[in-house]
Amino acid sequence: MASAAFLNEITGTAGVSVDKLSAALHIPKSELAIAAGLSRDAVSKAARSHSVTTQSRLREMSEIINRVIPWAGSELAAYAWYRSQPLPSFGDATAEELVRQGQGEKVRAYLGRIAAGGFA
């Protein structure tokens, strides 16, 4: 599946769908919560899953994974990269660690520089 299709698959009228994102990545909601730096309730309760904070984190995570899909080859490989690849520009923190700390925008900017031919 192409990366544009990934975002279309997981996004609905109310934003990023927790159910669709966890299904696309083949992970339980509890793991999704950890990967996005959210509480379990934030992804399991409908009212909380639509909150600005939850949607912001899910959107950051989804956009980072989406950016990496063409390089990684698949959604699952991109998710593995998100969870485990140390980023030298950030003291070897992973994208997951940075999103959990609320620094997802910095990761997106970093990936944008790399995509444009810049250095890490």
Side-chain angles (χ1 to χ4, degrees):
M1 166 181 340
S3 62
F6 174 73
L7 284 179
N8 289 335
E9 177 186 330
I10 62 166
T11 306
T13 57
V16 177
S17 166
V18 171
D19 292 329
K20 290 178 181 180
L21 181 56
S22 65
L25 298 176
H26 303 285
I27 59 174
K29 289 180 186 178
S30 59
E31 184 177 327
L32 178 61
I34 292 167
L38 297 165
S39 70
R40 192 179 67 189
D41 286 346
V43 296
S44 63
K45 297 186 186 255
R48 301 244 349 244
S49 70
H50 299 298
S51 76
V52 173
T53 302
T54 300
Q55 282 297 306
S56 175
R57 285 284 175 88
L58 293 175
R59 171 59 75 178
E60 286 176 341
M61 177 182 173
S62 301
E63 288 178 354
I64 290 167
I65 291 170
N66 184 60
R67 172 66 81 155
V68 176
I69 289 171
W71 303 333
S74 71
E75 292 92 355
L76 297 179
Y79 177 63
W81 177 92
Y82 172 84
R83 301 238 23 218
S84 63
Q85 182 64 44
L87 303 176
S89 293
F90 299 100
D92 288 337
T94 64
E96 176 186 28
E97 292 168 333
L98 293 163
V99 168
R100 291 175 73 185
Q101 296 168 7
Q103 297 183 38
E105 184 57 41
K106 290 181 180 180
V107 177
R108 291 190 303 198
Y110 167 81
L111 293 174
R113 286 192 313 272
I114 298 298
F119 293 97

